Amino acid sequence: MAELTRGKTGRLYGNLLSILTTLKALRSSYNRDMQEDKEALFDSVDTVRAALEVFSAMLPKIEINRGRMEAAAGDPSLLATDLAEYLVKKGTPFREAYEIVGELVAHAVEAGLGLNQIPLSDMRSFSPLFDIDVARVFDVRRSLAERRAIGAPAPENIAAQITRWHKLLD
């Protein structure tokens, strides 16, 4: 059901673009072309309503496989941005850090290694700023905890959103 609902996103985006295009050139005194928004609007409302019905029935029955989720989230390639941020904190301009990490990722793929499996000596050949503390970068829990901006995935943010939604639904 989730995949089928995700598939509806393309049509909803198309409806939105249709409405926005109609509104873009709308004159202030002539609005008969607004009758063209109804089909897209009603289709979108019906689609979202159906998706919400399906999701409200599906979510209480969902079973989470924590082990599979942790394994998927543990892919060291997901932390490439953290690796670039590591170099930035050591004084490398982000543009250069991004390029270094891109080369390091290509090296890892070519060598058949995860980013966290590249020896420190090899990392230093890409940048002398890599040091023993680079191993900390590959801790996904630490990475998430550092993402504290509004909407970011820090555990405190997630807990606050869960609490917020529980209050709204009660």
Side-chain angles (χ1 to χ4, degrees):
M1 285 293 125
E3 291 173 354
L4 294 173
T5 303
R6 184 182 66 222
K8 300 284 187 189
T9 304
R11 189 168 83 216
L12 292 172
Y13 281 168
N15 289 345
L16 175 62
L17 189 58
S18 172
I19 292 169
L20 291 176
T21 302
T22 299
L23 291 173
K24 180 181 182 296
L26 194 61
R27 297 173 184 263
S28 61
S29 63
Y30 183 76
N31 294 329
R32 288 196 179 141
D33 44 359
M34 284 304 296
Q35 57 193 309
E36 286 299 314
D37 72 340
K38 304 307 181 273
E39 183 179 351
L41 176 65
F42 294 148
D43 177 59
S44 295
V45 169
D46 291 343
T47 301
V48 170
R49 182 176 286 138
L52 290 174
E53 286 178 27
V54 168
F55 268 75
S56 65
M58 180 184 72
L59 286 178
K61 308 279 188 213
I62 197 166
E63 292 181 20
I64 296 172
N65 185 331
R66 188 179 186 107
R68 284 186 67 191
M69 288 177 65
E70 286 184 358
D75 179 354
S77 297
L78 296 175
L79 300 170
T81 301
D82 295 65
L83 200 55
E85 289 172 358
Y86 168 88
L87 290 173
V88 168
K89 289 175 186 173
K90 299 241 178 189
T92 305
F94 186 79
R95 176 184 69 255
E96 291 175 28
Y98 179 84
E99 186 176 334
I100 291 166
V101 171
E103 291 170 359
L104 197 58
V105 167
H107 171 73
V109 169
E110 186 177 304
L113 299 171
L115 280 176
N116 61 339
Q117 296 173 320
I118 297 173
L120 181 58
S121 59
D122 288 0
M123 285 186 158
R124 285 186 175 149
S125 70
F126 290 88
S127 171
L129 296 177
F130 285 118
D131 207 348
I132 193 75
D133 63 339
V134 73
R136 289 186 11 183
V137 169
F138 298 105
D139 177 0
V140 72
R141 283 187 168 80
R142 182 208 49 79
S143 176
L144 291 173
E146 288 185 4
R147 309 268 185 250
R148 292 186 204 95
I150 295 171
E156 308 88 57
N157 289 1
I158 301 299
Q161 285 299 314
I162 290 171
T163 300
R164 176 179 167 264
W165 280 102
H166 277 295
K167 286 179 183 176
L168 286 172
L169 297 174
D170 287 341

